[in-house]
Amino acid sequence: MFYCLFLGFSCTFGFLLTGKWIGQFIFQNTLAGSFILILSWICPFLYLSTTLTSVLHGLGKPGRAFYINMSGCTLRIFFIYALIPTYGIRCYLYGMLAGELLTTFLSFLALLRFARKKLQKNSLL
């Protein structure tokens, strides 16, 4: 988890420093630069949620990982359906961030719950 967060925050920092430049010089669009700045905050949670979901699969909990991923997708779909028509494309980016935050948080809670059950089971033996 440490290395996922390290890599994610390194990418966030890199995109925060160069996002406007990338938008202006590569895409010739300042709006693209502001979108890159918003998307930069997704990096740590994207790396971490992928890793935690993979750990859940490895522990034999693919059903739990499925429901966690579906909850993140449902939140993104809510942002698309309910907020984009009123507030525009930025809400899609915020929905992506919220979906990744939710997926990361629920995966972390599922792993904590799994670890507690294992510790309790081992202490009873």
Side-chain angles (χ1 to χ4, degrees):
M1 286 177 48
F2 171 77
Y3 290 109
C4 289
L5 288 173
F6 178 75
L7 179 63
F9 281 117
S10 298
C11 291
T12 297
F13 184 69
F15 284 127
L16 285 175
L17 289 178
T18 62
K20 288 186 180 184
W21 180 84
I22 291 170
Q24 187 63 38
F25 291 105
I26 294 179
F27 297 108
Q28 285 80 37
N29 190 339
T30 56
L31 187 60
S34 68
F35 290 162
I36 291 170
L37 293 178
I38 294 170
L39 287 170
S40 70
W41 293 104
I42 294 175
C43 292
F45 307 108
L46 185 66
Y47 291 127
L48 190 57
S49 70
T50 303
T51 301
L52 295 177
T53 304
S54 297
V55 171
L56 283 172
H57 280 285
L59 292 173
K61 301 287 186 186
R64 177 79 42 104
F66 171 75
Y67 288 119
I68 288 170
N69 284 327
M70 284 302 297
S71 63
C73 289
T74 303
L75 184 61
R76 279 182 241 142
I77 290 170
F78 169 76
F79 271 77
I80 291 169
Y81 182 73
L83 300 177
I84 287 179
T86 306
Y87 299 106
I89 193 67
R90 286 187 190 270
C91 279
Y92 176 70
L93 303 175
Y94 294 140
M96 287 178 60
L97 178 60
E100 287 300 324
L101 279 167
L102 180 66
T103 303
T104 302
F105 180 72
L106 291 177
S107 297
F108 187 73
L109 286 180
L111 288 171
L112 280 178
R113 186 175 176 196
F114 181 83
R116 278 194 195 125
K117 282 184 179 180
K118 284 292 186 184
L119 287 174
Q120 287 175 352
K121 185 179 177 183
N122 288 339
S123 66
L124 293 176
L125 295 177

